[in-house]
Amino acid sequence: MGTGTDTLTATAREAVASACAQVRDGGDGDEVDGVRPGLVARPADTDQVAEVLRAAAAHGLTVVPRGRGTKLSWGTAPRSADVLLDVSGLDRVLEHAAGDLIVATQAGARLADVQQVVGEGGQWLALDETVPGASIGGTLAANTSGPRRVATGTARDLLIGVTVVRADGVVAKAGGKVVKNVAGYDLGKLVIGSAGTLAVVVDATFRLHPVAPARRWVTVAVDDAARAGALSQDVVHAQVVPSAVEVDWTPAGDGSVSVLLEGREDGVVARADAVRRLLGDAATVGTDAPAAGATYPWDLTATGDLRATALKLTFVLSGLTDVLAAAGAAGASVRGSAGAGVAYAALPSDRPAEEVAAAVDRLRAACASHGGTAVVVDAPAAVKAAVDVWGPVPALDLMRRVKDQFDPDHRLSPGRYVGGI
Amino acid sequence: MTTQATGAATGTATRTGIDAVAARARELLPAAGVITDRAQLRTYECDGLAHYRVTPALVVVPEDAAQLAAIVRTCAEHGVPFVARGSGTGLSGGALPHAEGVLVVTSRMRAITDVRRADQRAVVEPGVINLDVTRAATPHGYYYAPDPSSQQICSIGGNVAENSGGAHCLKYGFTTNHVLGADFVTPQGDTVALGGAAPDSPGYDLLGAVVGSEGTLGVVTSTTVRLVRLPEEVRTILVGFETTDQAGAATSAIISAGIVPAAIEMMDALAIEAAEAAVHCNYPDGAGAVLVIELDGAAVEVEQEYAEVARLCEENGSFEQRLATDPAERALIWKGRKSAFAAVGRISPDYIVQDGVIPRTALPEVLKAIADLSRESGVRVANVFHAGDGNLHPLVLFDDAVEGAGDAAEKVSGAILDLCIEHGGSITGEHGVGMDKAKYMPRMYTDDDLDTMQLVRCAFDPQNISNPGKVFPTPRLCGEVPGRKKAAHPLQQAGLAEVF
């Protein structure tokens, strides 16, 4: 186990300790994908986040930000983690302007807490909670989304303002609190999915959507990948305005297609009926989500070598059949959004790393032939060592230049991201 | 009107550089695609914001991405600034040429190379007219949702550069939400793929940074856009109110009821007068404000929402409601709205189209403040705007032949932006910062915010040759240490650039 604490001298420890109210030594349970941090700093506010980063910069320390720690093993392990910057103390929902359909929240607030606050006004932040307990910051850093991205998009479509602290401790904001705003560069886009490598998000402002008064799920069992592909095409091209078109698939080559309709009761009933006709007589209509819900097809509680190899597959809509067929051949379970071209796959933890690597290659080829990619989201250490976690990434040189500008010393989450960024 | 010095780091751009780019362009392009004649160059001296004029040193009109990339590469080799331009309909001077630079016009790159119904995607070149994407998609049952008022003439490349949206953004999102991938030429002349046809490409979302960057990060040569399924039912309603307050209250009531219309547009009495004079759209007599409300979606729900919208408008004081019953009536309602900017020319010799944004709930207060400003200054202001998302387009009217009128109008126009900032809004919702509003950026953002944005520009364009002088008032030189610059900019000290 690496500790990466060579640079953590007594003076450096002292500097971090004086920057932030709560600082302690890294211990069991603080590991970032196997790397134990030297210190854990838990700032109480934006100023303290900035102070910690300034102290880290002054003493050449590496810093890995953490929200609620629900996805810390995702990506690649950091090369070094002198300081784990725990932003869970920044947990306030700052403003819910119901009339303007916006919410401003600190990064450490849980997505569920934000939903609770805005839900009281009949609204929701249109991001499914795919990882229970996740913070807003972590949700942005990992760019998670679920079934309802078909209707409302992802964080990319919802984030309208962001405040970040740079690696040098400078606090900066971009965007604001209005939905329509083209003044300046959209820095929010750059931090979404950046795995904590560009800057530390301290607060974020999102557009909200009204909660639909009625919903129906229409589900049909399918035992043929081509049939699943054809049905999902029928639904997306129909005028039924689905909120989600989900597929759940086993390595045996069977599973289900489920469609979510949301809106007013009469309309939802009519549209659910139209979808039922498209999916066939065997389709069922109900108000409950499929048992799998919005979660991924792997066990999120598993740790270490017991983790499944978790993948994110993307493809154009017409590629679903081939992707499901490839997943079956690779022995992967799949769950995800047939209506958006994003699905998640899991390969069992007991398979040898070389075999998993071959399966990843197979899935990567299938996704690439349909305009997409296959990224290893999480995996046991042996698998991460045996595969190219991120796969080929275009424009990598430009990404490196962006990283070099924001974090010239590669202080933030070094090695966690594409191309070793 | 003079413009600020835009040489920045490329103050060394010389005639030699321009000649080298022209020579390279002549090797690559037919003669008509390389313009050096002074009179012809002058036809490109401004975009839709005509009060800034700069004659470019050279205009090139490439026919494909490879030619465009080669020209940009030659510019980079010689430190020559370049500005990309589509149809030139921008309203903030974003495509204003550089006096010592090359204007790269994309109007011949006008192919819709692919419409893939199965994937709900189209691949288009930057010179493609916005409305033509919808025309190509409609036979497949699809359309392209972002629709600026100038959609019959503006280009997709310009829409991408400015992140310009239009009336349907409220429900369907902005250009940035509909652009998934792009072939992109960096300011070094390298071609890279950003994003892709599938969602969520791994790595930094560089495309997200490029959309709306106003041509300061490079040039897009092809984009993959999302197509949206044509709705089963569309209802367009024209509603007359006596006052803008009533129309604003009706808008809030609709949104509060959980209804997200495809569009809610408002025009006040002066804007209505202008539209009537220009296109005879037959809006309700005596209206102090009209709303154009469009509902779309599944038929059953549109029917229900229509009933509720009609009731909410009535409760908030509407005196007339007209439902368009056929496409011709629908088109006429929209014609009044979409022609409003140009129509203002019928009632005023000169005008400034302002573009600010406020939180929607601040509408009544801000409209009242604009009316006060107008009364106190004697400058007439017509209001046309996207009421649903708080994007105001006050048209500030003046007669340039009257001494001081232009300055008074500028002052009112600026004061309106201050109102927007004061209410937590933005200085631009869709027209961009361009040359026109660079001076307002420090009112909305701190030095640290602007410096941080500059990190992106330095990553993409360390030579500062891609549309220099736009968006940011005093760009930090790449290589300067961020966040510690408190003295005057070196260019400013040298007398080469002006601080607004």
Side-chain angles (χ1 to χ4, degrees), chain A residues 101 179-180 207 209, chain B residues 166-174 251 255 259-265 294 360 386-390:
Chain A
L101 284 168
V179 169
K180 207 169 183 183
R207 71 175 297 184
H209 285 78
Chain B
H168 288 96
C169 290
L170 172 63
K171 180 170 179 178
Y172 290 101
F174 309 89
T251 303
I255 302 282
I259 297 172
V260 183
I264 309 187
E265 303 287 301
E294 192 153 281
R360 191 187 45 256
H386 310 296
D389 50 33

Side-chain angles (χ1 to χ4, degrees), chain A residues 19-389:
Chain A
C20 172
Q22 289 186 49
V23 177
R24 60 175 171 81
D25 286 341
D28 290 344
D30 291 322
E31 291 85 2
V32 182
D33 199 12
V35 178
R36 178 177 292 195
L39 293 173
V40 177
R42 188 170 184 271
D45 55 30
T46 299
D47 285 347
Q48 290 187 12
V49 173
E51 286 295 329
V52 169
L53 283 165
R54 274 196 287 271
H59 294 275
L61 307 180
T62 52
V63 178
V64 176
R66 177 177 80 180
R68 295 287 173 169
T70 59
K71 297 176 287 293
L72 266 191
S73 63
W74 289 23
T76 30
R79 283 192 294 273
S80 160
D82 296 324
V83 180
L84 187 68
L85 181 60
D86 171 1
V87 299
S88 63
L90 279 69
D91 61 355
R92 286 182 303 131
V93 178
L94 301 168
E95 181 187 6
H96 173 215
D100 293 316
L101 284 168
I102 64 135
V103 67
T105 174
Q106 289 188 304
R110 290 186 184 87
L111 177 58
D113 296 339
V114 177
Q115 302 291 21
Q116 167 98 31
V117 170
V118 302
E120 286 165 15
Q123 297 171 354
W124 80 299
L125 169 55
L127 287 171
D128 291 303
E129 188 179 48
T130 54
V131 181
S135 69
I136 289 293
T139 299
L140 290 175
N143 192 19
T144 55
S145 63
R148 284 190 282 183
R149 61 178 291 157
V150 170
T152 45
T154 64
R156 188 182 196 275
D157 306 289
L158 303 167
L159 182 74
I160 57 174
V162 68
T163 305
V164 300
V165 183
R166 296 191 328 215
D168 59 0
V170 169
V171 180
K173 69 171 188 303
K177 52 191 258 187
V178 287
V179 169
K180 207 169 183 183
N181 178 10
V182 296
Y185 294 151
D186 192 347
L187 300 182
K189 297 282 192 295
L190 285 178
V191 296
I192 292 170
S194 67
T197 59
L198 272 191
V200 179
V201 175
V202 288
D203 62 56
T205 304
F206 299 91
R207 71 175 297 184
L208 300 171
H209 285 78
V211 174
R215 81 175 47 150
R216 293 291 186 282
W217 281 94
V218 189
T219 302
V220 70
V222 180
D223 58 6
D224 169 3
R227 178 83 182 136
L231 289 179
S232 71
Q233 280 282 307
D234 287 349
V235 172
V236 297
H237 297 308
Q239 286 169 316
V240 294
V241 204
S243 292
V245 183
E246 285 286 287
V247 63
D248 206 344
W249 209 247
T250 75
D254 58 9
S256 64
V257 172
S258 308
V259 180
L260 173 64
L261 293 318
E262 294 180 298
R264 286 152 191 275
E265 180 70 24
D266 292 356
V268 166
V269 167
R271 284 187 282 142
D273 195 45
V275 171
R276 197 191 51 74
R277 285 195 299 273
L278 289 172
L279 297 188
D281 292 341
T284 58
V285 180
T287 52
D288 293 337
T295 61
Y296 297 116
W298 58 80
D299 179 4
L300 283 161
T301 63
T303 56
D305 292 342
L306 298 176
R307 284 178 282 173
T309 295
L311 294 130
K312 179 175 183 175
L313 313 177
T314 66
F315 45 90
V316 293
L317 299 186
S318 60
L320 181 67
T321 298
D322 286 354
V323 170
L324 291 181
S333 315
V334 176
R335 191 180 298 153
S337 184
V342 175
Y344 295 86
L347 291 157
S349 58
D350 56 7
R351 289 172 61 179
E354 319 80 71
E355 202 180 308
V356 172
V360 170
D361 285 345
R362 187 186 288 235
L363 286 166
R364 198 158 267 161
C367 292
S369 69
H370 293 286
T373 56
V375 168
V376 176
V377 172
D378 195 6
V383 171
K384 285 191 185 181
V387 300
D388 176 359
V389 167

Side-chain angles (χ1 to χ4, degrees), chain B residues 67-301:
Chain B
Q67 292 173 354
L68 191 151
I71 287 160
V72 170
R73 181 176 289 276
T74 312
C75 286
E77 283 164 8
H78 296 276
V80 173
F82 62 88
V83 179
R85 170 185 157 128
S87 298
T89 56
L91 292 168
S92 57
L96 185 76
H98 190 292
E100 296 171 1
V102 179
L103 189 70
V104 181
V105 179
T106 58
S107 57
R108 283 198 194 149
M109 295 171 64
R110 203 175 268 202
I112 296 175
T113 52
D114 204 359
V115 176
R116 295 204 298 267
R117 175 184 182 271
D119 299 326
Q120 302 180 324
R121 302 283 188 270
V123 181
V124 305
E125 290 188 333
V128 170
I129 301 303
N130 176 294
L131 191 58
D132 287 344
V133 184
T134 285
R135 287 191 178 123
T138 299
H140 303 277
Y142 281 83
Y143 73 111
Y144 179 62
D147 59 340
S149 295
S150 55
Q151 71 178 134
Q152 299 194 32
I153 176 167
C154 66
S155 68
I156 290 293
N159 294 165
V160 169
E162 302 295 320
N163 191 15
S164 46
H168 288 96
C169 290
L170 172 63
K171 180 170 179 178
Y172 290 101
F174 309 89
T175 301
T176 192
N177 307 123
H178 293 267
V179 173
L180 295 136
D183 291 339
F184 175 76
V185 176
T186 69
Q188 296 78 46
D190 300 326
T191 299
V192 295
L194 305 180
D200 297 8
S201 296
Y204 296 134
D205 184 2
L206 302 181
L207 181 64
V210 163
V211 176
S213 63
E214 309 195 24
T216 61
L217 299 180
V219 187
V220 165
T221 55
S222 172
T223 66
T224 301
V225 300
R226 186 196 312 278
L227 298 176
V228 178
R229 185 72 176 96
L230 284 166
E232 187 179 16
E233 171 91 14
V234 179
R235 287 201 181 185
T236 308
I237 318 147
L238 181 69
V239 190
F241 296 88
E242 280 170 15
T243 68
T244 53
D245 275 359
Q246 291 171 332
T251 303
S252 290
I254 291 164
I255 302 282
S256 301
I259 297 172
V260 183
I264 309 187
E265 303 287 301
M266 196 193 299
M267 293 166 71
D268 72 2
L270 205 50
I272 297 167
E273 182 190 328
E276 285 294 347
V279 298
H280 311 292
C281 46
N282 193 29
Y283 281 7
D285 274 345
V290 294
L291 289 180
V292 175
I293 303 169
E294 192 153 281
L295 300 166
D296 71 5
V300 179
E301 274 135 311

